[in-house]
Amino acid sequence: LSGPDWSRRGISWINGNGIDFCKYVKSVSKTSVIFLTANDTEIDIVTGLENGADDYITKPFSLAVLRARVNTVLRRNENNNRYKDDKFIFDFDNMSFFVCESEVFLSKTEQKLLRLFIENKGITLNREMIIERVWGCDMEFVETNALSVAVNRLKKKLDNPPIKTVYGIGYVWEENINR
């Protein structure tokens, strides 16, 4: 599972409740969740699916079935690499970005930052997590104001996108704010 470092946030899911884990993952990201479990009663399956699971596979299972179901979930998520609204068209696969039908060119850092905001619409992302996800292992060499500079450049290039600064915390992509 990519994303936040669960243990650093004081969250331990070892031998925990899979339903609660699934609900938490779905509340903070768009990561797909497939249950792979021996719990095969109808109520277990319905509960898992109703609480956010993208699929529910019970043991025993064949590897061919597992592979097919994983591929199905991945196909469903293929459109996550595109974002479109009245003002923006972002195609992350082809690295093409349009604002009001005019193409804009984004640096690799700006592309990573934009993708992170789009994948987490409506979720306030803290500065530390953003730096970790955008700069990765180079984060210890990133100047303290690099994130602010990158966000400001991105905002200028995108002509007032719905990126809101949450003072003292980080940033959020809010689709319902007036531009």
Side-chain angles (χ1 to χ4, degrees), residues 147-178:
L147 177 58
S148 299
V149 170
V151 169
N152 286 333
R153 284 186 183 151
L154 182 62
K155 284 180 173 183
K156 282 182 183 176
K157 288 183 178 182
L158 297 182
D159 188 32
N160 194 25
I163 299 171
K164 179 183 172 195
T165 302
V166 182
Y167 291 98
I169 299 174
Y171 299 93
V172 62
W173 180 282
E174 286 188 344
E175 291 192 298
N176 296 328
I177 65 174
N178 295 327

PDB file of all heavy atoms in Angstrom, residues 147-178:
ATOM      1  N   LEU A 147       8.307  23.999  -0.948  1.00  0.00           N
ATOM      2  CA  LEU A 147       6.919  23.623  -1.187  1.00  0.00           C
ATOM      3  C   LEU A 147       6.077  24.858  -1.481  1.00  0.00           C
ATOM      4  O   LEU A 147       5.302  24.871  -2.435  1.00  0.00           O
ATOM      5  CB  LEU A 147       6.337  22.850  -0.005  1.00  0.00           C
ATOM      6  CG  LEU A 147       4.859  22.470  -0.119  1.00  0.00           C
ATOM      7  CD1 LEU A 147       4.592  21.623  -1.359  1.00  0.00           C
ATOM      8  CD2 LEU A 147       4.396  21.749   1.133  1.00  0.00           C
ATOM      9  N   SER A 148       6.232  25.902  -0.699  1.00  0.00           N
ATOM     10  CA  SER A 148       5.471  27.138  -0.930  1.00  0.00           C
ATOM     11  C   SER A 148       5.764  27.714  -2.306  1.00  0.00           C
ATOM     12  O   SER A 148       4.851  28.138  -3.020  1.00  0.00           O
ATOM     13  CB  SER A 148       5.797  28.184   0.146  1.00  0.00           C
ATOM     14  OG  SER A 148       5.458  27.700   1.420  1.00  0.00           O
ATOM     15  N   VAL A 149       7.028  27.705  -2.695  1.00  0.00           N
ATOM     16  CA  VAL A 149       7.420  28.219  -4.009  1.00  0.00           C
ATOM     17  C   VAL A 149       6.789  27.373  -5.118  1.00  0.00           C
ATOM     18  O   VAL A 149       6.223  27.903  -6.081  1.00  0.00           O
ATOM     19  CB  VAL A 149       8.961  28.261  -4.147  1.00  0.00           C
ATOM     20  CG1 VAL A 149       9.387  28.554  -5.575  1.00  0.00           C
ATOM     21  CG2 VAL A 149       9.548  29.294  -3.187  1.00  0.00           C
ATOM     22  N   ALA A 150       6.851  26.049  -4.984  1.00  0.00           N
ATOM     23  CA  ALA A 150       6.296  25.149  -5.998  1.00  0.00           C
ATOM     24  C   ALA A 150       4.780  25.322  -6.117  1.00  0.00           C
ATOM     25  O   ALA A 150       4.240  25.362  -7.228  1.00  0.00           O
ATOM     26  CB  ALA A 150       6.647  23.697  -5.673  1.00  0.00           C
ATOM     27  N   VAL A 151       4.079  25.433  -4.986  1.00  0.00           N
ATOM     28  CA  VAL A 151       2.628  25.622  -5.015  1.00  0.00           C
ATOM     29  C   VAL A 151       2.286  26.958  -5.673  1.00  0.00           C
ATOM     30  O   VAL A 151       1.371  27.031  -6.505  1.00  0.00           O
ATOM     31  CB  VAL A 151       2.008  25.507  -3.601  1.00  0.00           C
ATOM     32  CG1 VAL A 151       0.550  25.959  -3.596  1.00  0.00           C
ATOM     33  CG2 VAL A 151       2.121  24.083  -3.074  1.00  0.00           C
ATOM     34  N   ASN A 152       3.010  28.010  -5.336  1.00  0.00           N
ATOM     35  CA  ASN A 152       2.744  29.324  -5.938  1.00  0.00           C
ATOM     36  C   ASN A 152       2.981  29.315  -7.444  1.00  0.00           C
ATOM     37  O   ASN A 152       2.201  29.899  -8.201  1.00  0.00           O
ATOM     38  CB  ASN A 152       3.573  30.408  -5.261  1.00  0.00           C
ATOM     39  CG  ASN A 152       3.039  30.747  -3.883  1.00  0.00           C
ATOM     40  OD1 ASN A 152       1.847  30.581  -3.617  1.00  0.00           O
ATOM     41  ND2 ASN A 152       3.907  31.195  -3.005  1.00  0.00           N
ATOM     42  N   ARG A 153       4.034  28.649  -7.902  1.00  0.00           N
ATOM     43  CA  ARG A 153       4.283  28.532  -9.348  1.00  0.00           C
ATOM     44  C   ARG A 153       3.156  27.759 -10.033  1.00  0.00           C
ATOM     45  O   ARG A 153       2.692  28.129 -11.107  1.00  0.00           O
ATOM     46  CB  ARG A 153       5.617  27.851  -9.610  1.00  0.00           C
ATOM     47  CG  ARG A 153       6.798  28.736  -9.372  1.00  0.00           C
ATOM     48  CD  ARG A 153       8.082  28.049  -9.789  1.00  0.00           C
ATOM     49  NE  ARG A 153       9.202  28.904  -9.472  1.00  0.00           N
ATOM     50  CZ  ARG A 153      10.414  28.480  -9.183  1.00  0.00           C
ATOM     51  NH1 ARG A 153      10.671  27.184  -9.200  1.00  0.00           N
ATOM     52  NH2 ARG A 153      11.368  29.322  -8.901  1.00  0.00           N
ATOM     53  N   LEU A 154       2.723  26.684  -9.400  1.00  0.00           N
ATOM     54  CA  LEU A 154       1.637  25.878  -9.947  1.00  0.00           C
ATOM     55  C   LEU A 154       0.350  26.705 -10.037  1.00  0.00           C
ATOM     56  O   LEU A 154      -0.349  26.679 -11.051  1.00  0.00           O
ATOM     57  CB  LEU A 154       1.415  24.626  -9.093  1.00  0.00           C
ATOM     58  CG  LEU A 154       0.342  23.656  -9.568  1.00  0.00           C
ATOM     59  CD1 LEU A 154       0.677  23.086 -10.944  1.00  0.00           C
ATOM     60  CD2 LEU A 154       0.171  22.530  -8.552  1.00  0.00           C
ATOM     61  N   LYS A 155       0.050  27.457  -8.986  1.00  0.00           N
ATOM     62  CA  LYS A 155      -1.144  28.298  -8.981  1.00  0.00           C
ATOM     63  C   LYS A 155      -1.097  29.321 -10.116  1.00  0.00           C
ATOM     64  O   LYS A 155      -2.114  29.546 -10.781  1.00  0.00           O
ATOM     65  CB  LYS A 155      -1.295  29.024  -7.642  1.00  0.00           C
ATOM     66  CG  LYS A 155      -1.805  28.163  -6.511  1.00  0.00           C
ATOM     67  CD  LYS A 155      -1.910  29.011  -5.247  1.00  0.00           C
ATOM     68  CE  LYS A 155      -2.563  28.281  -4.114  1.00  0.00           C
ATOM     69  NZ  LYS A 155      -2.731  29.135  -2.916  1.00  0.00           N
ATOM     70  N   LYS A 156       0.058  29.939 -10.340  1.00  0.00           N
ATOM     71  CA  LYS A 156       0.193  30.922 -11.423  1.00  0.00           C
ATOM     72  C   LYS A 156      -0.025  30.273 -12.777  1.00  0.00           C
ATOM     73  O   LYS A 156      -0.738  30.797 -13.633  1.00  0.00           O
ATOM     74  CB  LYS A 156       1.562  31.600 -11.382  1.00  0.00           C
ATOM     75  CG  LYS A 156       1.682  32.668 -10.344  1.00  0.00           C
ATOM     76  CD  LYS A 156       3.049  33.331 -10.407  1.00  0.00           C
ATOM     77  CE  LYS A 156       3.184  34.350  -9.296  1.00  0.00           C
ATOM     78  NZ  LYS A 156       4.518  34.948  -9.252  1.00  0.00           N
ATOM     79  N   LYS A 157       0.594  29.115 -12.997  1.00  0.00           N
ATOM     80  CA  LYS A 157       0.470  28.438 -14.286  1.00  0.00           C
ATOM     81  C   LYS A 157      -0.956  27.968 -14.555  1.00  0.00           C
ATOM     82  O   LYS A 157      -1.396  27.952 -15.700  1.00  0.00           O
ATOM     83  CB  LYS A 157       1.437  27.255 -14.373  1.00  0.00           C
ATOM     84  CG  LYS A 157       2.888  27.670 -14.523  1.00  0.00           C
ATOM     85  CD  LYS A 157       3.786  26.467 -14.667  1.00  0.00           C
ATOM     86  CE  LYS A 157       5.235  26.875 -14.866  1.00  0.00           C
ATOM     87  NZ  LYS A 157       6.102  25.699 -15.065  1.00  0.00           N
ATOM     88  N   LEU A 158      -1.663  27.589 -13.499  1.00  0.00           N
ATOM     89  CA  LEU A 158      -3.023  27.074 -13.666  1.00  0.00           C
ATOM     90  C   LEU A 158      -4.082  28.174 -13.549  1.00  0.00           C
ATOM     91  O   LEU A 158      -5.271  27.877 -13.583  1.00  0.00           O
ATOM     92  CB  LEU A 158      -3.306  25.958 -12.657  1.00  0.00           C
ATOM     93  CG  LEU A 158      -2.437  24.711 -12.776  1.00  0.00           C
ATOM     94  CD1 LEU A 158      -2.847  23.675 -11.749  1.00  0.00           C
ATOM     95  CD2 LEU A 158      -2.481  24.130 -14.180  1.00  0.00           C
ATOM     96  N   ASP A 159      -3.657  29.423 -13.425  1.00  0.00           N
ATOM     97  CA  ASP A 159      -4.573  30.558 -13.416  1.00  0.00           C
ATOM     98  C   ASP A 159      -5.677  30.404 -12.372  1.00  0.00           C
ATOM     99  O   ASP A 159      -6.850  30.234 -12.699  1.00  0.00           O
ATOM    100  CB  ASP A 159      -5.162  30.765 -14.815  1.00  0.00           C
ATOM    101  CG  ASP A 159      -5.980  32.052 -14.915  1.00  0.00           C
ATOM    102  OD1 ASP A 159      -5.638  33.027 -14.217  1.00  0.00           O
ATOM    103  OD2 ASP A 159      -6.960  32.049 -15.681  1.00  0.00           O
ATOM    104  N   ASN A 160      -5.256  30.449 -11.126  1.00  0.00           N
ATOM    105  CA  ASN A 160      -6.180  30.424  -9.997  1.00  0.00           C
ATOM    106  C   ASN A 160      -6.942  29.098  -9.849  1.00  0.00           C
ATOM    107  O   ASN A 160      -8.166  29.068  -9.883  1.00  0.00           O
ATOM    108  CB  ASN A 160      -7.170  31.593 -10.086  1.00  0.00           C
ATOM    109  CG  ASN A 160      -7.905  31.802  -8.785  1.00  0.00           C
ATOM    110  OD1 ASN A 160      -7.415  31.446  -7.721  1.00  0.00           O
ATOM    111  ND2 ASN A 160      -9.095  32.362  -8.866  1.00  0.00           N
ATOM    112  N   PRO A 161      -6.215  27.999  -9.651  1.00  0.00           N
ATOM    113  CA  PRO A 161      -6.888  26.711  -9.413  1.00  0.00           C
ATOM    114  C   PRO A 161      -7.481  26.688  -8.002  1.00  0.00           C
ATOM    115  O   PRO A 161      -7.145  27.539  -7.173  1.00  0.00           O
ATOM    116  CB  PRO A 161      -5.743  25.707  -9.533  1.00  0.00           C
ATOM    117  CG  PRO A 161      -4.561  26.473  -9.038  1.00  0.00           C
ATOM    118  CD  PRO A 161      -4.767  27.887  -9.535  1.00  0.00           C
ATOM    119  N   PRO A 162      -8.335  25.718  -7.712  1.00  0.00           N
ATOM    120  CA  PRO A 162      -8.949  25.657  -6.375  1.00  0.00           C
ATOM    121  C   PRO A 162      -8.028  25.045  -5.315  1.00  0.00           C
ATOM    122  O   PRO A 162      -8.426  24.170  -4.552  1.00  0.00           O
ATOM    123  CB  PRO A 162     -10.192  24.805  -6.613  1.00  0.00           C
ATOM    124  CG  PRO A 162      -9.811  23.901  -7.735  1.00  0.00           C
ATOM    125  CD  PRO A 162      -8.913  24.723  -8.618  1.00  0.00           C
ATOM    126  N   ILE A 163      -6.779  25.500  -5.286  1.00  0.00           N
ATOM    127  CA  ILE A 163      -5.840  25.052  -4.255  1.00  0.00           C
ATOM    128  C   ILE A 163      -5.903  26.061  -3.123  1.00  0.00           C
ATOM    129  O   ILE A 163      -5.608  27.236  -3.308  1.00  0.00           O
ATOM    130  CB  ILE A 163      -4.400  24.951  -4.791  1.00  0.00           C
ATOM    131  CG1 ILE A 163      -4.319  23.927  -5.933  1.00  0.00           C
ATOM    132  CG2 ILE A 163      -3.437  24.587  -3.652  1.00  0.00           C
ATOM    133  CD1 ILE A 163      -2.983  23.919  -6.664  1.00  0.00           C
ATOM    134  N   LYS A 164      -6.311  25.591  -1.970  1.00  0.00           N
ATOM    135  CA  LYS A 164      -6.469  26.470  -0.809  1.00  0.00           C
ATOM    136  C   LYS A 164      -5.362  26.174   0.200  1.00  0.00           C
ATOM    137  O   LYS A 164      -5.073  25.014   0.485  1.00  0.00           O
ATOM    138  CB  LYS A 164      -7.840  26.242  -0.168  1.00  0.00           C
ATOM    139  CG  LYS A 164      -8.082  27.082   1.062  1.00  0.00           C
ATOM    140  CD  LYS A 164      -9.432  26.757   1.683  1.00  0.00           C
ATOM    141  CE  LYS A 164      -9.582  27.468   3.013  1.00  0.00           C
ATOM    142  NZ  LYS A 164     -10.680  26.926   3.793  1.00  0.00           N
ATOM    143  N   THR A 165      -4.771  27.223   0.723  1.00  0.00           N
ATOM    144  CA  THR A 165      -3.786  27.084   1.785  1.00  0.00           C
ATOM    145  C   THR A 165      -4.524  26.920   3.108  1.00  0.00           C
ATOM    146  O   THR A 165      -5.406  27.708   3.431  1.00  0.00           O
ATOM    147  CB  THR A 165      -2.876  28.324   1.862  1.00  0.00           C
ATOM    148  OG1 THR A 165      -2.236  28.501   0.594  1.00  0.00           O
ATOM    149  CG2 THR A 165      -1.826  28.183   2.953  1.00  0.00           C
ATOM    150  N   VAL A 166      -4.172  25.879   3.835  1.00  0.00           N
ATOM    151  CA  VAL A 166      -4.722  25.669   5.176  1.00  0.00           C
ATOM    152  C   VAL A 166      -3.579  26.022   6.129  1.00  0.00           C
ATOM    153  O   VAL A 166      -2.668  25.223   6.338  1.00  0.00           O
ATOM    154  CB  VAL A 166      -5.207  24.215   5.376  1.00  0.00           C
ATOM    155  CG1 VAL A 166      -5.805  24.043   6.763  1.00  0.00           C
ATOM    156  CG2 VAL A 166      -6.208  23.830   4.293  1.00  0.00           C
ATOM    157  N   TYR A 167      -3.636  27.249   6.631  1.00  0.00           N
ATOM    158  CA  TYR A 167      -2.511  27.784   7.400  1.00  0.00           C
ATOM    159  C   TYR A 167      -2.147  26.907   8.586  1.00  0.00           C
ATOM    160  O   TYR A 167      -2.997  26.433   9.317  1.00  0.00           O
ATOM    161  CB  TYR A 167      -2.809  29.219   7.841  1.00  0.00           C
ATOM    162  CG  TYR A 167      -2.818  30.156   6.650  1.00  0.00           C
ATOM    163  CD1 TYR A 167      -4.011  30.524   6.051  1.00  0.00           C
ATOM    164  CD2 TYR A 167      -1.627  30.589   6.090  1.00  0.00           C
ATOM    165  CE1 TYR A 167      -4.024  31.334   4.929  1.00  0.00           C
ATOM    166  CE2 TYR A 167      -1.620  31.400   4.970  1.00  0.00           C
ATOM    167  CZ  TYR A 167      -2.821  31.770   4.393  1.00  0.00           C
ATOM    168  OH  TYR A 167      -2.830  32.555   3.273  1.00  0.00           O
ATOM    169  N   GLY A 168      -0.850  26.673   8.711  1.00  0.00           N
ATOM    170  CA  GLY A 168      -0.327  25.853   9.787  1.00  0.00           C
ATOM    171  C   GLY A 168      -0.408  24.365   9.521  1.00  0.00           C
ATOM    172  O   GLY A 168       0.099  23.568  10.294  1.00  0.00           O
ATOM    173  N   ILE A 169      -1.059  23.975   8.415  1.00  0.00           N
ATOM    174  CA  ILE A 169      -1.209  22.550   8.116  1.00  0.00           C
ATOM    175  C   ILE A 169      -0.642  22.207   6.746  1.00  0.00           C
ATOM    176  O   ILE A 169       0.298  21.446   6.623  1.00  0.00           O
ATOM    177  CB  ILE A 169      -2.689  22.112   8.207  1.00  0.00           C
ATOM    178  CG1 ILE A 169      -3.219  22.342   9.617  1.00  0.00           C
ATOM    179  CG2 ILE A 169      -2.829  20.644   7.813  1.00  0.00           C
ATOM    180  CD1 ILE A 169      -4.689  22.077   9.794  1.00  0.00           C
ATOM    181  N   GLY A 170      -1.236  22.765   5.683  1.00  0.00           N
ATOM    182  CA  GLY A 170      -0.785  22.417   4.341  1.00  0.00           C
ATOM    183  C   GLY A 170      -1.698  22.993   3.278  1.00  0.00           C
ATOM    184  O   GLY A 170      -2.036  24.174   3.315  1.00  0.00           O
ATOM    185  N   TYR A 171      -2.176  22.126   2.369  1.00  0.00           N
ATOM    186  CA  TYR A 171      -2.978  22.578   1.232  1.00  0.00           C
ATOM    187  C   TYR A 171      -4.091  21.579   0.953  1.00  0.00           C
ATOM    188  O   TYR A 171      -4.004  20.408   1.314  1.00  0.00           O
ATOM    189  CB  TYR A 171      -2.106  22.695  -0.023  1.00  0.00           C
ATOM    190  CG  TYR A 171      -0.974  23.684   0.120  1.00  0.00           C
ATOM    191  CD1 TYR A 171       0.283  23.271   0.538  1.00  0.00           C
ATOM    192  CD2 TYR A 171      -1.170  25.028  -0.162  1.00  0.00           C
ATOM    193  CE1 TYR A 171       1.323  24.174   0.678  1.00  0.00           C
ATOM    194  CE2 TYR A 171      -0.132  25.944  -0.034  1.00  0.00           C
ATOM    195  CZ  TYR A 171       1.108  25.511   0.387  1.00  0.00           C
ATOM    196  OH  TYR A 171       2.132  26.410   0.522  1.00  0.00           O
ATOM    197  N   VAL A 172      -5.128  22.078   0.259  1.00  0.00           N
ATOM    198  CA  VAL A 172      -6.244  21.232  -0.149  1.00  0.00           C
ATOM    199  C   VAL A 172      -6.744  21.694  -1.515  1.00  0.00           C
ATOM    200  O   VAL A 172      -6.759  22.883  -1.807  1.00  0.00           O
ATOM    201  CB  VAL A 172      -7.392  21.255   0.898  1.00  0.00           C
ATOM    202  CG1 VAL A 172      -7.970  22.643   1.070  1.00  0.00           C
ATOM    203  CG2 VAL A 172      -8.483  20.246   0.539  1.00  0.00           C
ATOM    204  N   TRP A 173      -7.104  20.747  -2.384  1.00  0.00           N
ATOM    205  CA  TRP A 173      -7.752  21.043  -3.658  1.00  0.00           C
ATOM    206  C   TRP A 173      -9.247  20.997  -3.382  1.00  0.00           C
ATOM    207  O   TRP A 173      -9.810  19.945  -3.145  1.00  0.00           O
ATOM    208  CB  TRP A 173      -7.363  20.010  -4.715  1.00  0.00           C
ATOM    209  CG  TRP A 173      -7.985  20.235  -6.059  1.00  0.00           C
ATOM    210  CD1 TRP A 173      -9.265  19.940  -6.426  1.00  0.00           C
ATOM    211  CD2 TRP A 173      -7.367  20.794  -7.215  1.00  0.00           C
ATOM    212  NE1 TRP A 173      -9.474  20.279  -7.730  1.00  0.00           N
ATOM    213  CE2 TRP A 173      -8.328  20.813  -8.253  1.00  0.00           C
ATOM    214  CE3 TRP A 173      -6.088  21.280  -7.489  1.00  0.00           C
ATOM    215  CZ2 TRP A 173      -8.050  21.288  -9.520  1.00  0.00           C
ATOM    216  CZ3 TRP A 173      -5.817  21.754  -8.756  1.00  0.00           C
ATOM    217  CH2 TRP A 173      -6.785  21.755  -9.759  1.00  0.00           C
ATOM    218  N   GLU A 174      -9.885  22.169  -3.386  1.00  0.00           N
ATOM    219  CA  GLU A 174     -11.316  22.273  -3.106  1.00  0.00           C
ATOM    220  C   GLU A 174     -12.038  22.589  -4.397  1.00  0.00           C
ATOM    221  O   GLU A 174     -11.911  23.685  -4.925  1.00  0.00           O
ATOM    222  CB  GLU A 174     -11.603  23.357  -2.078  1.00  0.00           C
ATOM    223  CG  GLU A 174     -11.217  22.992  -0.675  1.00  0.00           C
ATOM    224  CD  GLU A 174     -11.698  24.027   0.325  1.00  0.00           C
ATOM    225  OE1 GLU A 174     -12.058  25.139  -0.071  1.00  0.00           O
ATOM    226  OE2 GLU A 174     -11.691  23.698   1.515  1.00  0.00           O
ATOM    227  N   GLU A 175     -12.821  21.650  -4.904  1.00  0.00           N
ATOM    228  CA  GLU A 175     -13.496  21.852  -6.172  1.00  0.00           C
ATOM    229  C   GLU A 175     -14.654  22.831  -6.081  1.00  0.00           C
ATOM    230  O   GLU A 175     -15.063  23.391  -7.086  1.00  0.00           O
ATOM    231  CB  GLU A 175     -13.996  20.520  -6.724  1.00  0.00           C
ATOM    232  CG  GLU A 175     -12.850  19.649  -7.151  1.00  0.00           C
ATOM    233  CD  GLU A 175     -13.314  18.470  -7.953  1.00  0.00           C
ATOM    234  OE1 GLU A 175     -14.068  17.659  -7.406  1.00  0.00           O
ATOM    235  OE2 GLU A 175     -12.898  18.377  -9.113  1.00  0.00           O
ATOM    236  N   ASN A 176     -15.180  23.044  -4.917  1.00  0.00           N
ATOM    237  CA  ASN A 176     -16.382  23.880  -4.803  1.00  0.00           C
ATOM    238  C   ASN A 176     -16.092  25.302  -4.338  1.00  0.00           C
ATOM    239  O   ASN A 176     -16.971  25.965  -3.824  1.00  0.00           O
ATOM    240  CB  ASN A 176     -17.389  23.221  -3.841  1.00  0.00           C
ATOM    241  CG  ASN A 176     -17.878  21.907  -4.391  1.00  0.00           C
ATOM    242  OD1 ASN A 176     -17.987  21.726  -5.585  1.00  0.00           O
ATOM    243  ND2 ASN A 176     -18.168  20.973  -3.509  1.00  0.00           N
ATOM    244  N   ILE A 177     -14.863  25.792  -4.519  1.00  0.00           N
ATOM    245  CA  ILE A 177     -14.598  27.185  -4.167  1.00  0.00           C
ATOM    246  C   ILE A 177     -14.690  28.030  -5.424  1.00  0.00           C
ATOM    247  O   ILE A 177     -14.443  27.566  -6.513  1.00  0.00           O
ATOM    248  CB  ILE A 177     -13.234  27.377  -3.461  1.00  0.00           C
ATOM    249  CG1 ILE A 177     -12.074  27.030  -4.379  1.00  0.00           C
ATOM    250  CG2 ILE A 177     -13.169  26.609  -2.177  1.00  0.00           C
ATOM    251  CD1 ILE A 177     -10.711  27.331  -3.791  1.00  0.00           C
ATOM    252  N   ASN A 178     -15.088  29.274  -5.258  1.00  0.00           N
ATOM    253  CA  ASN A 178     -15.207  30.179  -6.396  1.00  0.00           C
ATOM    254  C   ASN A 178     -13.841  30.569  -6.903  1.00  0.00           C
ATOM    255  O   ASN A 178     -12.970  30.925  -6.119  1.00  0.00           O
ATOM    256  CB  ASN A 178     -15.994  31.442  -6.005  1.00  0.00           C
ATOM    257  CG  ASN A 178     -17.419  31.129  -5.648  1.00  0.00           C
ATOM    258  OD1 ASN A 178     -18.007  30.212  -6.221  1.00  0.00           O
ATOM    259  ND2 ASN A 178     -17.981  31.867  -4.719  1.00  0.00           N
TER     260      ASN A 178
END
